[in-house]
Amino acid sequence: MLQTKSVVPDDVLRYAVAHGMIDLSYVQEQIEMNKRKELLEKHPHKIWEGKDGKWYTYIHYESGERALKKRGTKDEIETLVIQYYQEQEQHPCFREVYAKWILEKEEFGEVGENTITRYDNDFERFFPKIEPFCKIRLCDMTDSELERFIKKTIKEKGLTYKSYAMLRLIINGVFKFAKREGYTNYSISTFFKDLSLPSNIFKKRVKNPEMEVFNEVESRKVIEYCLDNPTLENLGIAVNFYSGLRVGELSALKHSDINIGNYINVHRTEIVYKDKSLGKRVTVVKEYPKTDAGDRKVIIPDEAWNIMRMIISRNPTGEYLFMRNGKRITERMFNYYLKAACKKVGIAPRSTHKVRKTYGSKLLQNNVDSAIVLKQIGHKNISTTHGYYHYDITTDGTRKKLINGAIVY
């Protein structure tokens, strides 16, 4: 006979309790005993009876102090230990609440594994165990303590306004979660609304615009080198100058994504994250793009299709378009080969993301309609493209010709 898991409905439980079939006081007693056992197992120190007949153990406080505790009976010393951990559970500190907050995000799939890894890395950077701020119970937090911590972190870590955004995101998320769970009544929204940080507190990183993209001459040099040395990695780099794909999208392409002569269908990407169960970083392909706008058809120009045909001919049957010895070519390998190509042609090494910025700049510089640019790049908002992907990719000679033609009186 097929056995199925039965679920007891609420009305059945209520009936059983009402008719004395279940002793609630006994159930509650068992729950409390199990909880007591769990808390005692959590205690890292031995509980022992001294020669004087008293019972002893150590308690570690948030300050780092280890205090020896003594009680008359074993039950009394165990009760002391339990009360200590119950107090911790009811009034957790920042690090403890972060662990609960991030666990909930993982449980409900609110963010991807790679985002969790980024949160964890930034958390350890901003909130190390030795940081005194992390030991303050959230129920005791004050505006002054929080503001001083934020300013100290910005100064000591040399945060730019952009990197401060992640610090703020974590603080905001942890405090909102803590308030919802009843750990504190502190209003983090009011705090950030009132917080005023002068612009000069943030570290200024002056970018060299020439290093953010490949100019028209550099682009040709890299593409020509890649075509003269047509490994799959180099051919992938070359075709990316014509497509502007994120390198994770490029490395995740399959043969079925290529509509020869028309477009590339983008709907998956590579991600890298730390697998907590394995204790190491893993690289996988996810069947969705980086953003909703990332799921798109990318038109590539006619001259790029010959490169694409070369790629297909070198790996006609692999699961992914870019594979070597049965293994997918990853983002990391594309970046390695691009930097090697830069060195070979005598230009400063740059990452594959600079290829993408070059592509976006080229579209904008040639007055391609914003709606088309958004579809090609995979952005949701054209302001993002203009703000981060619009650079001058002309050479000095080209700029001189343009200025000479424009400034005529």
Side-chain angles (χ1 to χ4, degrees):
M1 179 182 293
L2 179 65
Q3 292 185 347
T4 59
K5 182 180 178 181
S6 61
V7 179
V8 181
D10 289 345
D11 56 344
V12 174
L13 288 174
R14 284 194 294 270
Y15 180 87
V17 172
H19 290 78
M21 298 176 183
I22 296 178
D23 185 346
L24 280 184
S25 61
Y26 173 76
V27 173
Q28 184 63 38
E29 181 183 334
Q30 292 300 307
I31 291 173
E32 290 176 1
M33 286 177 59
N34 286 333
K35 183 63 178 177
R36 185 181 177 92
K37 181 180 178 183
E38 288 173 9
L39 292 174
L40 288 172
E41 288 175 348
K42 180 180 179 180
H43 187 54
H45 298 291
K46 179 181 177 182
I47 295 175
W48 76 93
E49 184 180 12
K51 292 180 180 179
D52 58 357
K54 305 294 184 181
W55 285 82
Y56 296 84
T57 192
Y58 285 101
I59 295 287
H60 258 115
Y61 293 101
E62 295 85 357
S63 62
E65 176 191 1
R66 189 181 73 162
L68 180 64
K69 297 295 180 178
K70 177 177 73 172
R71 290 294 184 271
T73 66
K74 184 178 181 181
D75 183 68
E76 288 176 349
I77 198 70
E78 287 182 345
T79 298
L80 175 70
V81 169
I82 289 166
Q83 288 173 343
Y84 170 73
Y85 288 115
Q86 284 177 335
E87 175 70 15
Q88 283 192 317
E89 287 186 352
Q90 292 167 4
H91 305 292
C93 64
F94 193 88
R95 285 185 67 91
E96 292 165 343
V97 178
Y98 171 82
K100 296 174 184 290
W101 174 63
I102 210 71
L103 186 63
E104 182 178 89
K105 286 190 171 296
E106 288 182 290
E107 179 183 357
F108 295 110
E110 296 178 40
V111 292
E113 296 99 327
N114 53 332
T115 303
I116 293 292
T117 298
R118 189 169 73 251
Y119 282 9
D120 285 344
N121 289 340
D122 283 326
F123 178 76
E124 292 302 330
R125 176 189 176 197
F126 299 139
F127 307 96
K129 291 180 180 179
I130 60 172
E131 169 56 53
F133 172 84
C134 296
K135 298 172 184 177
I136 301 172
R137 297 294 167 187
L138 266 63
C139 60
D140 299 327
M141 187 65 64
T142 66
D143 286 355
S144 176
E145 288 169 324
L146 183 52
E147 183 171 341
R148 287 187 62 81
F149 167 75
I150 289 174
K151 289 180 177 178
K152 179 173 76 77
T153 302
I154 291 172
K155 181 180 179 181
E156 292 181 353
K157 306 292 183 184
L159 300 188
T160 63
Y161 188 79
K162 184 177 180 181
S163 53
Y164 160 68
M166 180 55 79
L167 173 66
R168 175 174 172 147
L169 185 152
I170 292 174
I171 292 173
N172 192 57
V174 168
F175 271 95
K176 284 188 174 181
F177 176 86
K179 189 173 183 181
R180 190 196 76 193
E181 295 298 307
Y183 300 136
T184 182
N185 290 320
Y186 190 83
S187 174
I188 195 63
S189 299
T190 301
F191 169 81
F192 277 122
K193 182 180 178 182
D194 295 338
L195 180 65
S196 178
L197 297 173
S199 60
N200 61 1
I201 197 174
F202 299 104
K203 184 176 180 180
K204 306 297 188 295
R205 287 185 182 161
V206 180
K207 292 183 178 180
N208 180 356
E210 294 183 357
M211 290 299 293
E212 290 300 305
V213 289
F214 294 84
N215 68 35
E216 51 195 356
V217 172
E218 292 172 331
S219 297
R220 282 198 296 271
K221 283 184 177 181
V222 173
I223 292 172
E224 287 172 2
Y225 171 82
C226 288
L227 296 181
D228 289 339
N229 300 272
T231 63
L232 271 173
E233 294 87 350
N234 284 342
L235 291 175
I237 292 165
V239 84
N240 220 31
F241 273 93
Y242 291 97
S243 65
L245 300 185
R246 297 178 177 92
V247 66
E249 296 169 342
L250 179 72
S251 66
L253 287 176
K254 294 187 177 183
H255 289 275
S256 57
D257 299 325
I258 310 303
N259 189 309
I260 292 293
N262 294 306
Y263 57 81
I264 297 173
N265 194 6
V266 179
H267 53 80
R268 71 179 70 82
T269 192
E270 173 188 305
I271 67 166
V272 181
Y273 68 96
K274 184 175 181 179
D275 187 313
K276 295 179 181 179
S277 63
L278 298 175
K280 64 179 183 179
R281 293 170 67 85
V282 296
T283 303
V284 297
V285 169
K286 291 293 185 179
E287 293 297 321
Y288 49 78
K290 183 178 180 181
T291 66
D292 293 340
D295 196 334
R296 65 201 189 279
K297 292 178 179 178
V298 177
I299 306 296
I300 65 173
D302 293 340
E303 64 182 282
W305 282 111
N306 284 335
I307 305 174
M308 186 62 75
R309 290 184 180 94
M310 291 171 65
I311 293 168
I312 294 171
S313 68
R314 279 164 170 71
N315 176 35
T317 59
E319 178 185 3
Y320 294 96
L321 193 63
F322 296 100
M323 298 189 74
R324 180 175 297 285
N325 300 322
K327 294 184 178 180
R328 184 177 57 82
I329 298 172
T330 63
E331 291 185 23
R332 186 176 180 181
M333 290 307 298
F334 278 121
N335 273 299
Y336 174 84
Y337 272 79
L338 173 59
K339 290 177 180 178
C342 290
K343 290 179 181 178
K344 289 291 185 181
V345 301
I347 65 175
R350 269 152 277 182
S351 70
T352 51
H353 191 57
K354 309 307 182 186
V355 175
R356 180 168 159 79
K357 286 188 175 184
T358 301
Y359 177 82
S361 298
K362 202 166 183 65
L363 292 181
L364 294 170
Q365 192 166 299
N366 284 277
N367 300 312
V368 175
D369 186 89
S370 295
I372 296 175
V373 174
L374 284 177
K375 286 184 179 180
Q376 291 289 108
I377 291 286
H379 284 166
K380 289 185 176 182
N381 195 309
I382 195 64
S383 63
T384 302
T385 314
H386 278 293
Y388 298 99
Y389 287 71
H390 197 179
Y391 290 85
D392 178 15
I393 59 174
T394 60
T395 61
D396 289 345
T398 300
R399 284 196 293 275
K400 184 177 181 179
K401 289 179 182 178
L402 292 171
I403 297 303
N404 280 336
I407 308 302
V408 178
Y409 296 100

